[in-house]
Amino acid sequence: FPSARLGKYAMKQIPFTRQSATFGICLAAILEYIAAEIIALSLDAVKDRHKKRITPRDIFLALSNDAGFTALFPDAVQLGVA
């Protein structure tokens, strides 16, 4: 994730707050970690189904079965998508 672009975007979205110079770097690191966790959980779901590719269905199953993501993002996993 481009840290400079994330920092500029955050400054536009939250205009009257002070942010450190490394705010974009921290935000990029957090987003990269969340993306890596989603891919790892999806890969485990793919291996359980004995497949080779990650599909949107695998991502949905992985996130809906994980207690940490459902607690962190309760509205992110839509049950109607299944």
Side-chain angles (χ1 to χ4, degrees):
F1 294 101
S3 59
R5 189 177 302 167
L6 287 172
K8 288 178 186 177
Y9 181 73
M11 290 292 274
K12 288 180 183 177
Q13 293 299 317
I14 311 168
F16 296 112
T17 59
R18 295 182 65 176
Q19 297 172 355
S20 69
T22 59
F23 178 75
I25 296 169
C26 293
L27 186 59
I30 291 168
L31 291 175
E32 185 176 350
Y33 175 75
I34 291 172
E37 284 293 319
I38 290 173
I39 291 172
L41 289 171
S42 301
L43 187 61
D44 291 339
V46 168
K47 286 181 181 178
D48 291 342
R49 294 178 56 203
H50 305 291
K51 301 289 183 180
K52 292 185 179 182
R53 292 186 181 156
I54 297 175
T55 62
R57 174 78 177 156
D58 297 322
I59 296 171
F60 170 75
L61 290 174
L63 292 181
S64 62
N65 291 333
D66 188 54
F69 272 100
T70 54
L72 187 61
F73 305 112
D75 297 330
V77 178
Q78 301 283 330
L79 294 178
V81 177

